[in-house]
Amino acid sequence: MGILIYDSVEPPIEIEDRALSHLKMVVLAKLRRGESFAVSWKHPPGTPGGRSTIWLNPAIPLRFVFDEAEAPELNQKWLAAMSESANALGGITLSPEDGDR
């Protein structure tokens, strides 16, 4: 399980390594262009709350931490879906991988 450390938000946001690797690519592309946007996700069963959203801005510190030492092979369809949602009004909504690579 990887974590996303966003500014001073405590506790850090836990996201499975594979999903975090894909999210990182889309987030970095958006922030590199100076774009702000939202990222939303559903909380796993057994955790407080049902869902969360954060607003990402190039001026706010952001750190990706992975449990795995090696980056996974990226699923281009999943990246495309995340990129498309990043440009939508509601921002990126983390969704399960469809399995196609």
Side-chain angles (χ1 to χ4, degrees), residues 5 8 14-15 18-19 21 23 33-35 37-38 49 58 70 74 77 83 89 95:
I5 301 170
S8 59
E14 292 187 353
I15 301 174
R18 184 161 177 77
S21 292
L23 179 64
R33 293 189 299 264
E35 299 175 11
F37 57 99
E70 300 296 322
L74 298 177
K77 282 186 162 182
S83 294
L89 184 60
S95 58

Side-chain angles (χ1 to χ4, degrees), residues 17-86:
D17 266 17
R18 184 161 177 77
L20 187 59
S21 292
H22 286 75
L23 179 64
K24 177 186 126 183
M25 300 304 288
V26 176
V27 166
L28 293 180
K30 296 282 286 177
L31 294 178
R32 189 177 301 120
R33 293 189 299 264
E35 299 175 11
S36 298
F37 57 99
V39 176
S40 301
W41 64 94
K42 291 180 183 177
H43 295 191
T47 60
R51 59 190 169 94
S52 292
T53 300
I54 56 173
W55 182 252
L56 294 178
N57 179 287
I60 298 172
L62 180 64
R63 181 176 170 205
F64 300 88
V65 180
F66 300 91
D67 280 343
E68 299 294 325
E70 300 296 322
E73 180 180 339
L74 298 177
N75 178 334
Q76 295 303 314
K77 282 186 162 182
W78 201 14
L79 279 174
M82 279 190 194
S83 294
E84 188 175 319
S85 72

